[in-house]
């Protein structure tokens, strides 16, 4: 079986316009040392076909890596071996994607048919409710074999897949991974778009879908052991969902592998990059810094690494390592978010560039640091209009910032001692599904208005930089230490 799976995509060429970074799961001990909790379970692929079709995927496995590995091997065979061509319409592509996910899951269940049949046979031979130590030697062997079979057939995976065909982008999502598209504009700003939402009980569309199936009033964030309401595999939930109290009233399978598909979105003339992130990477960053700015922060980190390194593989790995370090530093700080950062799951990041230029390396960070936004006026020399963009200060994690004779402690996340704060640029035009940041080419500083600010009646010049958001986030991150200092005074 393994040989057959490997042969399905052996002849597909790897796409070299992308890079992948990974990190294994870990749990931190009281001494700060990390221990891997289970074998690595994520998966990914990155292929191109001879007719200009590109396919990328990131998979988050759970209860083993078998499903993630199977899908990563089989799904490209259902999409890149003649199924897609340049004559396909958007409707054709969506239909082919839906069919591919359906075929892959059914094929996976076929691979465990024999194990499921043997499992059922062994269960019928063993007496119910008898502890293992009270079983006869023969039945103990049957019980041990049954446990192995349960492990073999358990598990599943969530998936996010990106397809580029005819200069159009299609995203197919099942579960809790994430796709971000970053578009660079001619004025140096980047628009960041989250394509689709996670399939969880926090998704109103998913709650409505479950309610229509007869499983209403679901208040918990975990369903049958996972946060995702859509997943590939996991036969226990797919075929025995009536055994789970919250799902037992459903009229049909409530946990499904049907992808939510977005696209095609034109990539004609687009400069930027596409990110596919596993749930573990997203959750690690959100645990350390909160979910509000996670998309903007990961894009800023990617842009910073793209400014410093020519290898996309090195860029992706550096970004993952940086998120891992941010997460660990949040745990080690002992502050408010430390308890949420005691462990993280496997992390996978896939970066696909889209005509993305190498930005000016002088304005972007590479090692550590929290990204804090401050608002500055932006003036385009080509027009008279002015807007506000956000300058993200990346603060060093150790040492002190000195201003004359006064010193202030810096953040605990990231940068080495002595590294100066550096910056990327982010737009303040953000909402639930999109945000933006500039490429950091320095144009912000070169395109200031030529007219100097005039003093007011007190003789003071209005501030050029608005630090409101900076102080808000800084204060939130340092509330514990500030409270402690206030108690001592």
């Amino acid at each position: 079986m393994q040989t057959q799976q490997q042969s399905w995509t052996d002849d597909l060429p790897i796409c070299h316009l992308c890079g992948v970074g990974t990190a294994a799961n870990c749990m931190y001990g009281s001494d700060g040392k990390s221990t891997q909790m289970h074998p690595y379970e994520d998966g990914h692929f990155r292929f191109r076909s001879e007719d200009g079709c590109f396919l990328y995927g990131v998979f988050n496995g759970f209860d083993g890596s078998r499903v993630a590995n199977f899908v990563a091997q089989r799904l490209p065979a259902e999409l890149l071996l003649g199924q897609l061509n340049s004559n396909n319409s958007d409707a054709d592509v969506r239909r082919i994607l839906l069919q591919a996910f359906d075929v892959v899951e059914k094929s996976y269940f076929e691979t465990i048919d024999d194990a499921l049949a043997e499992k059922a046979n062994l269960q019928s031979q063993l007496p119910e409710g008898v502890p293992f130590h009270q079983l006869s030697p023969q039945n103990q062997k049957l019980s041990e074999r049954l446990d192995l079979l349960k492990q073999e057939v358990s598990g599943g995976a969530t998936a996010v897949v990106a397809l580029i065909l005819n200069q159009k982008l299609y995203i197919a999502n099942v579960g809790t991974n994430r796709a971000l598209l970053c578009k660079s504009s001619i004025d140096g700003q980047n628009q960041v778009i989250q394509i689709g939402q996670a399939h969880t009980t926090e998704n109103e569309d998913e709650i409505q879908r479950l309610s229509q199936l007869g499983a209403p009033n679901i208040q918990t964030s975990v369903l049958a052991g996972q946060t995702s309401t859509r997943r590939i595999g996991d036969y226990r939930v797919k075929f025995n969902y009536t055994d789970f109290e919250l799902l037992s009233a459903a009229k049909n399978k409530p946990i499904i592998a049907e992808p939510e598909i977005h696209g095609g979105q034109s990539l004609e003339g687009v400069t930027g990059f596409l990110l596919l992130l596993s749930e573990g990477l997203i959750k690690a960053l959100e645990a350390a810094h909160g979910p509000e700015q996670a998309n903007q922060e990961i894009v800023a980190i990617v842009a910073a690494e793209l400014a410093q390194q020519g290898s996309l593989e090195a860029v992706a790995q550096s970004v993952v390592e940086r998120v891992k370090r941010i997460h660990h530093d949040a745990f080690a700080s002992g502050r408010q978010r430390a308890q949420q950062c005691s462990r993280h799951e496997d992390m996978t990041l896939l970066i696909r560039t889209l005509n993305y230029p190498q930005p000016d390396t002088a304005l972007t960070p590479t090692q550590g640091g929290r990204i804090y936004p401050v608002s500055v006026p932006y003036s385009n020399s080509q027009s008279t209009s002015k807007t506000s963009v956000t300058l993200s200060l990346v603060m060093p994690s150790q040492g002190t910032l000195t201003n004359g004779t006064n010193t202030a402690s810096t953040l605990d996340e990231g940068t080495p001692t002595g590294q100066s704060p550096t910056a990327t640029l982010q737009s303040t035009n953000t909402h639930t599904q999109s945000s933006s940041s500039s490429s950091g080419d320095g144009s912000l500083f070169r395109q200031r208005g030529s007219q100097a600010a005039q003093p007011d009646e007190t003789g003071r010049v209005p501030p050029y930089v608005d630090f409101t958001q900076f102080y808000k986030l800084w204060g939130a991150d340092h509330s514990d230490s500030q409270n402690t200092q206030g108690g001592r005074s």
Side-chain angles (χ1 to χ4, degrees):
M1 183 63 191
Q2 185 69 16
T3 302
Q4 181 184 6
Q5 288 183 11
Q6 291 177 344
S7 68
W8 288 333
T9 55
D10 273 353
D11 294 332
L12 290 176
I14 299 295
C15 176
H16 297 291
L17 298 174
C18 72
V20 177
T22 64
N25 61 90
C26 79
M27 176 174 60
Y28 306 125
S30 57
D31 57 359
K33 295 182 179 179
S34 61
T35 303
Q36 189 167 335
M37 298 178 289
H38 55 75
Y40 187 77
E41 295 174 335
D42 278 6
H44 69 272
F45 59 62
R46 41 179 168 170
F47 294 116
R48 63 176 178 86
S49 64
E50 298 298 335
D51 55 357
C53 181
F54 301 87
L55 186 67
Y56 313 98
V58 167
F59 308 95
N60 175 37
F62 57 88
D63 294 339
S65 60
R66 176 168 178 163
V67 179
N69 290 338
F70 182 90
V71 178
Q73 293 171 352
R74 182 65 185 268
L75 190 61
E78 296 297 330
L79 293 170
L80 294 182
L81 298 183
Q83 297 88 343
L84 293 165
N85 60 70
S86 59
N87 296 321
N88 291 138
S89 65
D90 287 349
D92 292 334
V93 173
R94 287 191 288 267
R95 174 182 52 81
I96 293 170
L97 282 168
L98 283 170
Q99 180 179 338
F101 275 82
D102 182 58
V103 168
V104 168
E105 183 177 59
K106 288 179 178 176
S107 298
Y108 167 71
F109 285 135
E110 288 176 0
T111 67
I112 62 173
D113 273 348
D114 291 343
L116 289 174
E118 184 181 355
K119 173 176 167 290
N121 181 47
L122 291 177
Q123 286 175 325
S124 67
Q125 297 181 47
L126 290 171
E128 294 184 7
V130 179
F132 179 84
H133 67 275
Q134 295 181 6
L135 293 174
S136 65
Q138 181 179 358
N139 283 342
Q140 286 184 349
K141 291 182 179 180
L142 294 180
S143 179
E144 291 172 348
R145 173 60 180 165
L146 180 60
D147 289 340
L148 290 174
L149 288 171
K150 287 180 178 179
Q151 183 178 359
E152 180 181 344
V153 301
S154 66
T158 59
V160 60
V161 171
L163 170 68
I164 298 177
L165 179 66
N166 295 332
Q167 286 296 303
K168 288 184 177 182
L169 172 65
Y170 303 84
I171 297 293
N173 183 45
V174 176
T176 49
N177 299 324
R178 185 173 297 180
L180 299 177
L181 177 63
C182 177
K183 295 182 179 181
S184 299
S185 59
I186 57 175
D187 61 4
Q189 297 186 48
N190 291 339
Q191 181 187 19
V192 182
I193 304 171
Q194 179 176 328
I195 305 177
Q197 294 295 311
H199 297 127
T200 68
T201 54
E202 295 180 359
N203 185 325
E204 293 183 1
D205 291 338
E206 286 298 281
I207 290 296
Q208 183 178 3
R209 180 181 67 82
L210 293 172
S211 179
Q212 291 175 347
L213 290 174
N217 303 321
I218 295 179
Q219 302 297 326
T220 180
S221 61
V222 177
L223 290 176
Q226 299 295 319
T227 59
S228 58
T229 55
R230 302 193 189 197
R231 58 193 84 155
I232 304 171
D234 203 352
Y235 90 95
R236 296 182 308 115
V237 181
K238 298 292 177 67
F239 297 104
N240 302 295
Y241 64 87
T242 55
D243 293 342
F244 298 89
E245 182 178 358
L246 291 174
L247 305 174
S248 59
K251 296 173 291 187
N252 206 340
K253 293 180 181 178
I255 306 298
I256 59 176
E258 179 180 327
E260 183 178 356
I261 300 175
H262 300 266
Q265 181 169 345
S266 176
L267 296 178
E268 290 285 350
V270 171
T271 298
F273 48 83
L274 172 70
L275 305 180
L276 301 184
L277 307 91
S278 70
E279 180 185 9
L281 183 66
I282 301 164
K283 293 298 184 183
L285 189 57
E286 290 182 346
H289 287 170
E292 296 81 9
Q293 298 288 324
N295 288 350
Q296 295 94 320
E297 188 164 8
I298 196 70
V299 165
I301 295 173
V302 170
E305 293 298 338
L306 284 170
Q308 296 289 335
Q309 305 192 58
S311 165
L312 288 174
E313 204 76 6
V315 168
Q317 191 60 44
S318 294
V319 173
V320 171
E321 292 298 330
R322 181 166 171 180
V323 172
K324 183 179 177 71
R325 186 167 59 252
I326 287 171
H327 184 268
H328 176 269
D329 289 350
F331 169 77
S333 72
R335 292 178 177 151
Q336 184 178 1
R337 292 191 170 274
Q339 292 184 349
Q340 303 176 44
C341 298
S342 62
R343 64 183 65 195
H344 68 74
E345 284 297 330
D346 300 323
M347 302 182 194
T348 301
L349 171 67
L350 186 148
I351 303 173
R352 170 40 153 105
T353 54
L354 304 166
N355 305 309
Y356 192 78
Q358 293 295 312
D360 185 352
T361 61
L363 293 176
T364 49
T366 55
Q367 297 297 323
R370 174 73 191 271
I371 296 177
Y372 286 90
V374 297
S375 202
V376 299
Y378 173 79
S379 174
N380 189 330
S381 60
Q382 304 300 319
S383 69
T384 59
S385 63
K386 293 185 178 181
T387 59
S388 176
V389 300
T390 298
L391 170 64
S392 295
L393 295 180
V394 181
M395 307 300 294
S397 63
Q398 300 174 357
T400 58
L401 292 180
T402 304
N403 182 8
T405 59
N406 298 320
T407 61
S409 295
T410 61
L411 289 179
D412 58 315
E413 295 96 351
T415 48
T417 303
Q419 181 175 336
S420 300
T422 51
T424 59
L425 303 176
Q426 297 184 322
S427 152
T428 55
N429 180 22
T430 63
H431 54 80
T432 303
Q433 294 221 352
S434 69
S435 59
S436 54
S437 69
S438 91
S439 62
D441 62 357
S443 60
L444 172 73
F445 304 99
R446 292 195 296 269
Q447 296 175 358
R448 289 186 183 181
S450 58
Q451 184 176 2
Q454 299 299 316
D456 59 18
E457 62 274 9
T458 67
R460 296 177 179 177
V461 176
Y464 181 74
V465 177
D466 179 5
F467 282 88
T468 303
Q469 281 195 329
F470 173 88
Y471 284 125
K472 181 179 179 181
L473 290 177
W474 178 276
D477 278 358
H478 292 72
S479 58
D480 291 346
S481 59
Q482 290 172 353
N483 291 337
T484 301
Q485 292 172 0
R488 292 175 179 173
S489 61

